Amino acid sequence: MKKILFSLLLVSSVITGAFAQQFEVSYVSPGSSQPFTGYVVLYLSKDKAPTGGMVGFGKTAYFSVYVKNIKPGGTVKINDDANSYPAALTDIQRGPYYAEVVWDKNLGGRAIAESPGNIYSEPIKVDIDKNTKLVYHLLADKVIPAPEFKETAVVKELRVPSALLTKSQGRPVTVDAAVILPKEYSSDPNRKFPVLFKVSGYGGDYHRYSGSTVPGAPIDTIPVITVYLDGNCSGGHSVYANSDNNGPWGDALTTEFIPALEKQFRCNGAKLLTGHSSGGWTVAWLQTHYPKVFDGTWSSSPDPVDFRSFQKINLYADKNMFYGKDSTLNSVATIAGFFPWVTMKDIYLAENAVYRGEQMHSFNFVFSKKGADGAPQQLCNYATGEIDTAVVSYWKNYDISLYLRTKWDQIKPDLDGKLRISVGKQDNFLLNYAVVLLDGEMKKLNSKFQFAYYPGDHFTVSSPEYVKDGYQFLKQKYADWLAKNK
């Protein structure tokens, strides 16, 4: 009976495999004959640019396979055995698609489809019909180039080699930024200026300032040197926090990058911070963990600053990332902070197929301990959403609210009054709820932190009033610095 059953299963497997939808992909590697080991990712989309857009937020389907030692010209099959989203290849909606494949070398870039050195194919149009025997072919024969930065009289590129990150990652790593000079920098050559560090949200890129001829904007009437940091790394956004997986980005910024900046540019010693979204979390982290280095911070709509409301999920009490206690699907994004837009389940399943560089990956790369396999330990099971309490216990180290509550007596003398957090009342990503929790805790401690709430969501909150109030806070912090450094 066992032999018969095994034979039936084998026949079933062969029949299923024979009729599964399939892509055969290969690559050529200009200038190199080295075999490829890593992930191959297939993108299928109704749009002409399949690799564009935010992963999990559109209608793109993703499929990935891990391969070893594939020589140039060798073929890899992508079929129903691949990690997939939203469904297995055979089960996706029939119809026309644009298809593109990327062979990910994972050399340090964030987004797989934009990482320099990766090999990719031009998108081709395919018609996926009911004929599951049909095999589609894609050849990746192009390499993503490293972006070039064009300097101007007012915008400079600064790339500082980091010994700390290089040692951690086992490859050369630099901390990079665009330095935007005020118009007074050239007209008053003996003058020194305060520095305003601006940290981008998730997906930002300092190359946006390449070729710009616009001088840096002042804080009210105070000319500043603006340093635009994007935090991009292979794991997502480094958020400039020391991390088991990404390496010591906070220490690299404060002990390697800033001294190099001050050596090359005319800085007067004052250091202010601002950022939105993931950049908002970054600057709150830097201010609270390096209170003697930075002199004042405006954090705008930060990623969760209290893990009792991680986009309304209590990581310490709730059991599942996908489902609420009433079995409803948890949202990762909403419209106006209320209407469901994208669910936690969808975003985790999509990122499981894309495998690295996206938002939930980014949290794991920063907050999680490195696993035995060298990858970050996962906060939750990608199939079921079940939260791993052992991983949460490590994430506690990055709960800003918990850190402030437990360390306040030690850090208060250097920190109190230096932080302002503002957020929209209808934040799309439900980030306002964590801010409210932190606000309440800091009131209990009689802190001088500022908290402010405005009409608007994550994208519309930045009204002229919102920006003015944030910059007035930074202006006052600079005045405080001047008073202490006469």
Side-chain angles (χ1 to χ4, degrees):
M1 176 61 77
K2 288 183 179 179
K3 289 183 178 180
I4 295 173
L5 180 59
F6 176 78
S7 298
L8 288 173
L9 289 172
L10 181 61
V11 171
S12 173
S13 174
V14 170
I15 291 174
T16 301
F19 288 92
Q21 203 79 59
Q22 186 165 281
F23 278 77
E24 289 187 352
V25 301
S26 56
Y27 78 99
V28 294
S29 184
S32 174
S33 59
Q34 293 297 314
F36 176 91
T37 294
Y39 277 89
V40 183
V41 184
L42 170 68
Y43 302 76
L44 293 179
S45 175
K46 300 293 185 179
D47 297 324
K48 291 184 178 180
T51 57
M54 296 173 62
V55 170
F57 280 75
K59 295 182 179 179
T60 303
Y62 311 98
F63 309 88
S64 67
V65 294
Y66 184 79
V67 299
K68 291 184 177 181
N69 297 319
I70 304 298
K71 294 180 180 179
T75 299
V76 168
K77 296 179 180 180
I78 300 178
N79 51 34
D80 287 357
D81 294 329
N83 292 328
S84 60
Y85 176 85
L89 190 55
T90 301
D91 296 329
I92 66 170
Q93 183 182 27
R94 306 290 92 179
Y97 289 88
Y98 289 91
E100 186 172 355
V101 67
V102 181
W103 297 66
D104 181 31
K105 289 188 174 181
N106 195 8
L107 300 176
R110 183 195 65 81
I112 291 173
E114 299 174 3
S115 294
N118 281 354
I119 308 168
Y120 71 99
S121 66
E122 288 287 359
I124 64 169
K125 193 171 184 179
V126 296
D127 286 308
I128 298 180
D129 57 24
K130 295 180 180 179
N131 181 8
T132 55
K133 295 182 180 180
L134 191 61
V135 177
Y136 305 92
H137 298 272
L138 287 172
L139 172 65
D141 58 356
K142 292 178 171 53
V143 177
I144 299 171
E148 295 183 2
F149 193 94
K150 181 181 178 182
E151 294 190 341
T152 66
V154 293
V155 175
K156 308 296 181 182
E157 181 183 36
L158 182 59
R159 305 186 69 212
V160 177
S162 169
L164 293 172
L165 293 171
T166 296
K167 180 180 179 181
S168 166
Q169 301 301 296
R171 57 176 175 78
V173 181
T174 57
V175 180
D176 306 334
V179 180
I180 305 103
L181 304 173
K183 64 179 185 293
E184 293 85 354
Y185 198 85
S186 60
S187 62
D188 193 350
N190 295 317
R191 184 175 178 179
K192 293 185 176 181
F193 301 87
V195 177
L196 175 63
F197 295 90
K198 278 190 174 182
V199 185
S200 80
Y202 178 83
D205 189 330
Y206 80 92
H207 289 88
R208 63 181 291 186
Y209 289 99
S210 176
S212 174
T213 57
V214 180
I219 297 177
D220 193 26
T221 59
I222 303 165
V224 297
I225 295 172
T226 301
V227 177
Y228 187 88
L229 299 158
D230 59 32
N232 285 327
C233 63
S234 64
H237 195 309
S238 73
V239 296
Y240 296 92
N242 293 345
S243 160
D244 201 25
N245 300 286
N246 293 331
W249 276 88
D251 290 348
L253 177 70
T254 54
T255 66
E256 295 176 323
F257 180 87
I258 289 178
L261 171 77
E262 294 179 330
K263 183 178 180 180
Q264 186 166 336
F265 296 94
R266 301 198 310 272
C267 310
N268 70 359
K271 292 177 279 292
L272 305 169
L273 291 161
T274 190
H276 182 76
S277 195
S278 292
W281 192 94
T282 300
V283 296
W285 175 267
L286 288 171
Q287 183 64 78
T288 54
H289 285 71
Y290 300 90
K292 293 182 179 180
V293 174
F294 299 103
D295 304 296
T297 293
W298 169 33
S299 167
S300 172
S301 303
D303 286 350
V305 290
D306 190 314
F307 289 176
R308 293 171 300 176
S309 184
F310 199 90
Q311 297 179 277
K312 292 194 76 174
I313 298 169
N314 186 337
L315 296 185
Y316 305 123
D318 294 335
K319 305 300 181 184
N320 199 285
M321 289 296 288
F322 297 173
Y323 304 102
K325 294 177 181 177
D326 58 356
S327 296
T328 56
L329 285 165
N330 290 327
S331 291
V332 73
T334 67
I335 298 172
F338 181 77
F339 300 101
W341 177 15
V342 180
T343 68
M344 277 284 182
K345 183 176 182 179
D346 275 334
I347 207 73
Y348 269 100
L349 291 176
E351 292 196 16
N352 185 47
V354 176
Y355 109 88
R356 75 162 182 88
E358 302 304 322
Q359 181 64 83
M360 297 303 161
H361 297 143
S362 190
F363 290 140
N364 276 324
F365 268 81
V366 177
F367 303 150
S368 292
K369 186 177 181 180
K370 184 177 290 188
D373 61 354
Q377 293 181 343
Q378 303 299 318
L379 173 66
C380 72
N381 184 300
Y382 272 76
T384 66
E386 182 181 359
I387 294 172
D388 189 326
T389 55
V391 174
V392 171
S393 67
Y394 196 83
W395 277 42
K396 283 182 178 180
N397 296 310
Y398 298 91
D399 185 333
I400 291 176
S401 175
L402 182 61
Y403 174 78
L404 290 170
R405 294 184 336 248
T406 55
K407 302 287 188 180
W408 185 244
D409 288 342
Q410 300 167 237
I411 61 181
K412 177 181 177 180
D414 297 314
L415 179 61
D416 201 13
K418 287 186 175 182
L419 178 61
R420 171 188 170 86
I421 299 180
S422 57
V423 68
K425 296 178 182 178
Q426 296 84 32
D427 191 272
N428 304 86
F429 305 107
L430 309 169
L431 302 174
N432 46 310
Y433 293 93
V435 173
V436 169
L437 285 178
L438 178 58
D439 187 357
E441 295 294 349
M442 299 317 294
K443 281 184 170 61
K444 293 176 187 176
L445 296 171
N446 297 314
S447 86
K448 296 177 183 176
F449 287 178
Q450 289 187 14
F451 292 85
Y453 307 89
Y454 293 77
D457 60 27
H458 200 70
F459 306 101
T460 64
V461 70
S462 296
S463 65
E465 178 189 12
Y466 184 84
V467 175
K468 179 181 178 182
D469 292 348
Y471 274 76
Q472 285 299 313
F473 176 80
L474 293 176
K475 179 183 178 181
Q476 182 57 55
K477 294 302 102 182
Y478 182 56
D480 294 345
W481 180 88
L482 284 174
K484 294 179 181 178
N485 294 272
K486 290 181 178 179

